[in-house]
Amino acid sequence: MSAAVLSHATPAALRPGPPGQPDITYAPDFEKYQTRVATRLSKGGLASTLPVGFPEELRGDLVWEGETLPETYDWTFVLNEEQLGEIEKALTHFKSLNLPLGYISADTFPLPTLHPELRRLSKELHSGHGFFVIRGVEVDKHTREENLIIYAGISSHIAPVRGRQDSSYEGKPASVVLAHIKNLNTPENEGFIGSPAYTRDKQVFHTDAGDIVSLFALETAEEGGASKLASTWRVYNELAKTRPDLVRTLSENWNAEIFGNTGQRFTQRPLLFYQPATDSTPERVALQYARRQFVGFGALPRSPEIPPITEAQAEALDALHFLGERFSLSTGFEKGDIQYVNNLAVFHARDGYRDSDTKQRHLVRLWLRDPENAWGTPPQLADRWALVYGGADPETHVFPLEPYIRSESGKRVKT
């Protein structure tokens, strides 16, 4: 892959962040990271023990490394002809009901023989390796709307609750439950884009909101754009062994910027959460963060009205990214693939990419929840999860057919 494909094409924000903000940007700089590590270690005084209750080591299928995982886990579920035929029948059935797309469900998109397999895969998300890919959907055979119906229909058997990704559409209040991930960095959007999702830039390791993040590839790039995943638990084990002070930093409150027109600038919460074992669940560690909430991106630099992050927090952000890179794998995303990720246990990234006139990377995304298998929501995330999964009439659900920049990812509301 060419160096140009891997680069961060979006210039760093011209406006500085808050006074006292460390020298850190959205694009991780390994040399600066190493210098910060050396400086902080040389000063001494760093905590040598983990926060109370946090485990010295996590075990289980969720602890994996990209280099060796293919030897023990086949994460690709390839649809056979019978299953594809069943999907076609379900599509025909749903269309015959003449219902809004918000009513797509396991009942209105019936998959009688495929359903048990999809429920098994949901358990793999929550109690197994934390991700999988469904391969074989015939994108070119269907219209854009039909592809979205198929995507939401299959997903409804894995996790029946769809999350809200935007609260406005075309200038009006709405429950937008599907987002397009595509390069929209055009001259008319210059100075507007505040998220790498709408550029060709490399996306650094992060999580989305909600329990499950799913991506459906309508088209892949001419070059680059690989989807990368990393085990939060493997990264946690490394930090617990080598840098318990950073586990403490991640488990303390951070000032996380809130983008969009919410009226609230930031919220205070940890990035890393410990959940003790119960009678029915093992002990767990969950990660929830996005780097741009602390360093900004493009048209949305970190607001000077929000306290700066600390040197310890800057190091922790880089440690998450570079350990994510070290232990990551690429899922080999192909056109027609649907990827599902446990957003609390696995974090993700994307290589930069190059489009052409004939191949332009285009994904669509759902945020999902399966009440039967869901992990408990950390109390500090309850308000955010309520915004995502809070009740909304299916009649009001919006499935945009074309890409647009959602409210949390743009500098201003375009008219």
Side-chain angles (χ1 to χ4, degrees), residues 116-135:
E117 286 296 316
L118 299 180
R119 295 309 297 151
R120 178 186 65 80
L121 290 171
S122 179
K123 290 182 180 178
E124 181 65 43
L125 272 184
H126 295 88
S127 305
H129 295 84
F131 76 97
F132 62 87
V133 173
I134 292 178
R135 176 162 293 166

Side-chain angles (χ1 to χ4, degrees), residues 93-296:
H93 175 74
F94 180 79
K95 290 174 67 176
S96 74
L97 300 176
N98 293 315
L99 292 170
L101 300 192
Y103 287 95
I104 297 171
S105 70
D107 291 330
T108 61
F109 195 91
L111 299 171
T113 59
L114 186 53
H115 176 81
E117 286 296 316
L118 299 180
R119 295 309 297 151
R120 178 186 65 80
L121 290 171
S122 179
K123 290 182 180 178
E124 181 65 43
L125 272 184
H126 295 88
S127 305
H129 295 84
F131 76 97
F132 62 87
V133 173
I134 292 178
R135 176 162 293 166
V137 175
E138 300 169 300
V139 172
D140 291 337
K141 183 178 176 180
H142 301 99
T143 66
R144 174 69 55 79
E145 183 175 65
E146 287 173 342
N147 276 312
L148 300 190
I149 293 171
I150 290 171
Y151 177 33
I154 292 173
S155 299
S156 68
H157 292 262
I158 296 167
V161 181
R162 288 185 288 271
R164 185 184 294 105
Q165 300 188 51
D166 203 349
S167 296
S168 66
Y169 182 65
E170 295 182 340
K172 299 176 182 179
S175 292
V176 181
V177 297
L178 179 136
H180 293 256
I181 310 299
K182 194 175 189 292
N183 177 37
L184 300 178
N185 200 3
T186 60
E188 71 168 343
N189 286 326
E190 186 175 356
F192 172 67
I193 293 175
S195 168
Y198 302 107
T199 72
R200 294 182 294 105
D201 288 29
K202 176 177 180 175
Q203 271 190 292
V204 303
F205 275 93
H206 66 284
T207 67
D208 285 13
D211 290 8
I212 300 166
V213 57
S214 172
L215 294 168
F216 177 28
L218 298 178
E219 184 56 272
T220 55
E222 182 67 39
E223 182 183 9
S227 173
K228 292 183 175 181
L229 303 178
S231 161
T232 292
W233 287 22
R234 178 63 185 91
V235 170
Y236 171 85
N237 283 350
E238 189 70 17
L239 289 175
K241 179 181 178 181
T242 63
R243 292 296 303 275
D245 61 296
L246 293 183
V247 175
R248 284 184 173 270
T249 297
L250 291 166
S251 67
E252 296 166 351
N253 274 343
W254 293 48
N255 297 315
E257 185 157 5
I258 298 175
F259 299 109
N261 302 316
T262 65
Q264 185 180 357
R265 279 290 187 184
F266 66 97
T267 185
Q268 291 189 323
R269 63 169 179 82
L271 308 194
L272 190 69
F273 306 89
Y274 173 63
Q275 298 179 328
T278 70
D279 290 340
S280 58
T281 62
E283 66 177 353
R284 291 166 171 164
V285 165
L287 179 70
Q288 220 289 316
Y289 86 111
R291 186 179 174 103
R292 75 182 186 106
Q293 293 175 315
F294 307 102
V295 301

Side-chain angles (χ1 to χ4, degrees), residues 66-77:
E67 185 175 349
T68 56
L69 185 62
E71 300 171 7
T72 58
Y73 177 49
D74 181 1
W75 58 80
T76 306
F77 180 87

Side-chain angles (χ1 to χ4, degrees), residues 252-412:
E252 296 166 351
N253 274 343
W254 293 48
N255 297 315
E257 185 157 5
I258 298 175
F259 299 109
N261 302 316
T262 65
Q264 185 180 357
R265 279 290 187 184
F266 66 97
T267 185
Q268 291 189 323
R269 63 169 179 82
L271 308 194
L272 190 69
F273 306 89
Y274 173 63
Q275 298 179 328
T278 70
D279 290 340
S280 58
T281 62
E283 66 177 353
R284 291 166 171 164
V285 165
L287 179 70
Q288 220 289 316
Y289 86 111
R291 186 179 174 103
R292 75 182 186 106
Q293 293 175 315
F294 307 102
V295 301
F297 178 87
L300 293 175
R302 186 165 175 86
S303 171
E305 300 176 26
I306 303 174
I309 65 173
T310 66
E311 289 290 332
Q313 289 173 332
E315 184 189 350
L317 286 175
D318 277 347
L320 287 175
H321 174 76
F322 288 114
L323 286 175
E325 288 273 14
R326 175 178 165 186
F327 297 125
S328 70
L329 64 81
S330 173
T331 57
F333 225 21
E334 298 179 3
K335 183 175 182 176
D337 281 2
I338 307 176
Q339 177 177 280
Y340 296 88
V341 174
N342 181 331
N343 191 52
L344 294 171
V346 174
F347 59 139
H348 60 281
R350 177 195 77 200
D351 283 345
Y353 64 92
R354 178 177 65 84
D355 283 334
S356 67
D357 291 341
T358 56
K359 291 193 71 177
Q360 297 181 9
R361 191 178 191 270
H362 187 175
L363 311 182
V364 285
R365 180 180 69 194
L366 292 171
W367 290 344
L368 303 166
R369 180 176 176 84
D370 179 11
E372 180 181 337
N373 293 314
W375 287 21
T377 302
Q380 301 94 326
L381 297 177
D383 289 347
R384 176 59 171 151
W385 260 232
L387 289 174
V388 174
Y389 296 118
D393 188 335
E395 189 85 27
T396 68
H397 285 189
V398 176
F399 291 71
L401 294 182
E402 297 299 329
Y404 81 100
I405 300 168
R406 67 193 187 104
S407 303
E408 292 185 5
S409 302
K411 178 179 176 181
R412 53 185 164 78

